[in-house]
Amino acid sequence: MNIHNSELLFSRAQQSIPGGVNSPVRAFKSVGGNPLFMKSAKGAYLFDEDGNSYIDYINSWGPMILGHAFEPVVNAIKEKVANSTSFGAPTRLEVEMAELIKSMAPNVDLIRMVSSGTEACMSAVRLARGYTGRNKIIKFEGCYHGHADCFLVKAGSGIATLNIQTVPGVTAGVANDTLTAPYNNLTAVEKLAAENKGQIAAIIIEPIVGNMGCILPQPGFLEGLRKLCDEEKIVFIFDEVMTGFRLAPGGAQEKLKINADLVTYGKVIGGGLPVGAFGGKKEIMQHIAPLGNVYQAGTLSGNPIAMIAGFTLLNELKNNPSIYSELEKKGATLEKGLREILEYKKIPHQINRMGSMMSLHFCDHEVVDFESASNADIALFNKLFHHLLENGIYLPPSGYESWFLSNALSSGDIEKTINAFKNFAF
Ligand SMILES: *Cc1c(COP(=O)(O)O)cnc(C)c1O
């Protein structure tokens, strides 16, 4: 495979950008080698600077659920852009976007648009603190909620991939207000809540985890957290930045039939442009400025180009619910194909999947939390990653990330992926 242009760009990039990348998860630090530079993408395919093509299982870490350069989104952006790219004043489209989100997402009375998932989660926690008058939050080991200070404690995604134990720059005061528990361990959370009675503002969780590989909640876990939050008057925050509009039109709340008090969105909600949002019950959301005193703002929040991209994509998802059963079928086919090969070759493995999110851990135990996810053969994953890349298949460059399927994948693409697995010398 010729990657000459990518190599040249990466050496130039390192002269001007820290580590040559604008987000650490794009570097190939854990899998080894250098990142590829992408030039364009269409449907299920990425094209790099050397003209190689890849079947994409990252899909911009989620947003490209209907494939790259999806025509309705591209056309809507083109049409909108001539009317100016920002106003700093309210627009009709923001009202329509809020109404569309409310028509899809359960338990959202009010919604505020921001520009990233980080901003959404950070603002939701500030709101929960302002609303309850309490300081502490509980998060789960291996869950990632963006890079705001309060979340950089035992976090997943790039922090797990790079094995960063404590993040310099996060003050002890901030870190001490973030309590952590293992995912799927209700008893540990109940213990924290008892030890810190009356002090917990919020529990924030990925209802289906995507940032330590894909991990599913065990039966009763989220229900137990919901009950605990009700009893202790803790704000229950679903971080649906990955799962929102991906697992169902109403995200994990709809899929798992559990109500959150606040919910955060990102990724799919912007159709590939920088968008996030947080919303929820009116009783809580009305504390946000200018209705209340919990301050939150953004010069480019609700930006018209970002809004038209997100609005067009969400509208498409709302009006074509069969997309979700198609994605489920594609996910199931890929999962079945990989299982058959791994079982035939007697390779210990664990595949976790819900709909179009899945991951593969090389281990012989169930993967239910960060510890069990970490206890896998990462070296084997890294070898597989490079084999697939050379065969034109682009997985996330880390064993700690979920794969994202897009509905642009054809059955031929999935077959090609399964065949590339078949040819790997385990
Ligand atoms: C990606 C992600 C975030 C952060 O979103 P950004 O847009 O990268 O700031 C937060 N929570 C979850 C669950 C995510 O996957």
Side-chain angles (χ1 to χ4, degrees):
M1 195 167 78
N2 174 18
I3 52 167
H4 181 71
N5 290 337
S6 278
E7 296 282 357
L8 280 180
L9 280 168
F10 188 56
S11 60
R12 263 175 69 194
Q14 285 168 292
Q15 304 305 311
S16 310
I17 303 170
V21 291
N22 277 315
S23 190
V25 295
R26 295 175 200 167
F28 280 15
K29 265 196 118 159
S30 113
V31 290
N34 294 331
L36 298 170
F37 281 66
M38 296 303 162
K39 192 168 187 178
S40 68
K42 179 72 191 163
Y45 296 93
L46 291 169
F47 302 96
D48 71 12
E49 285 280 350
D50 293 283
N52 303 302
S53 72
Y54 308 88
I55 302 173
D56 189 9
Y57 287 98
I58 301 184
N59 283 294
S60 186
W61 306 93
M64 302 319 204
I65 187 168
L66 298 183
H68 288 275
F70 180 63
E71 262 166 39
V73 170
V74 171
N75 292 337
I77 292 172
K78 276 187 191 160
E79 199 176 300
K80 202 81 188 166
V81 78
N83 295 341
S84 181
T85 51
S86 185
F87 302 103
T91 57
R92 173 190 297 270
L93 188 53
E94 290 165 272
V95 182
E96 291 171 351
M97 182 70 164
E99 288 169 352
L100 177 61
I101 294 167
K102 280 174 63 175
S103 75
M104 296 173 79
N107 300 305
V108 172
D109 302 325
L110 294 171
I111 181 112
R112 168 65 58 84
M113 304 309 300
V114 294
S115 300
S116 71
T118 295
E119 262 190 90
C121 294
M122 173 187 96
S123 309
V125 163
R126 182 184 307 134
L127 173 57
R129 285 173 165 157
Y131 170 69
T132 57
R134 302 169 177 178
N135 289 342
K136 294 182 182 171
I137 60 165
I138 296 177
K139 77 174 278 292
F140 294 88
E141 292 163 17
C143 281
Y144 180 71
H145 305 293
H147 66 87
D149 287 3
C150 64
F151 301 127
L152 296 181
V153 181
K154 295 194 180 168
S157 188
I159 296 162
T161 303
L162 298 172
N163 194 19
I164 297 172
Q165 299 297 327
T166 51
V167 179
V170 174
T171 64
V174 169
N176 289 341
D177 280 335
T178 300
L179 312 175
T180 62
Y183 198 79
N184 275 322
N185 189 335
L186 184 58
T187 314
V189 184
E190 286 169 344
K191 190 159 168 272
L192 286 177
E195 287 166 359
N196 299 274
K197 206 168 172 57
Q199 299 175 61
I200 314 268
I203 295 178
I204 185 165
I205 192 164
E206 288 180 69
I208 286 119
V209 191
N211 283 297
M212 44 178 155
C214 180
I215 292 182
L216 277 46
Q218 291 176 333
F221 176 55
L222 294 174
E223 291 82 352
L225 293 177
R226 176 67 272 177
K227 188 162 162 276
L228 178 69
C229 287
D230 287 338
E231 287 165 1
E232 302 293 332
K233 302 206 165 15
I234 296 169
V235 177
F236 197 20
I237 306 175
F238 267 20
D239 178 351
E240 295 232 40
V241 170
M242 271 184 181
T243 55
F245 313 101
R246 172 163 284 278
L247 297 179
Q253 284 198 95
E254 175 186 334
K255 184 94 178 170
L256 305 173
K257 299 189 177 61
I258 297 177
N259 299 331
D261 299 315
L262 291 179
V263 55
T264 63
Y265 296 109
K267 299 190 170 114
V268 173
I269 203 174
L273 271 84
V275 182
F278 65 102
K281 303 200 169 129
K282 184 167 181 219
E283 186 197 330
I284 306 174
M285 285 299 290
Q286 69 189 3
H287 290 267
I288 284 285
L291 257 186
N293 289 337
V294 179
Y295 199 72
Q296 188 284 324
T299 302
L300 294 177
S301 296
N303 172 271
I305 310 308
M307 289 300 99
I308 198 65
F311 182 85
T312 307
L313 183 61
L314 295 192
N315 220 16
E316 205 66 41
L317 295 171
K318 183 185 173 182
N319 294 329
N320 302 290
S322 65
I323 287 167
Y324 294 97
S325 47
E326 287 161 28
L327 279 168
E328 166 59 32
K329 250 189 230 147
K330 289 172 193 187
T333 308
L334 181 60
E335 179 186 347
K336 182 165 170 283
L338 301 195
R339 265 188 209 292
E340 281 171 3
I341 294 162
L342 294 164
E343 273 160 28
Y344 177 76
K345 297 200 177 189
K346 300 200 167 48
I347 308 295
H349 64 279
Q350 179 75 33
I351 298 177
N352 288 347
R353 183 180 70 83
M354 187 169 280
S356 56
M357 288 171 68
M358 70 179 274
S359 64
L360 163 63
H361 289 90
F362 290 113
C363 61
D364 51 15
H365 51 262
E366 286 200 317
V367 173
V368 296
D369 57 15
F370 187 66
E371 200 189 327
S372 48
S374 308
N375 235 322
D377 189 343
I378 296 283
L380 184 56
F381 176 87
N382 294 347
K383 220 176 108 194
L384 172 72
F385 168 84
H386 283 290
H387 166 81
L388 293 178
L389 197 64
E390 272 156 35
N391 283 273
I393 289 147
Y394 195 76
L395 289 187
S398 163
Y400 286 108
E401 300 284 358
S402 174
W403 311 354
F404 296 102
L405 274 62
S406 84
N407 210 30
L409 282 170
S410 68
S411 49
D413 296 330
I414 293 173
E415 203 175 309
K416 191 179 163 200
T417 309
I418 294 170
N419 279 330
F421 265 82
K422 214 178 261 173
N423 299 332
F424 179 55
F426 280 96

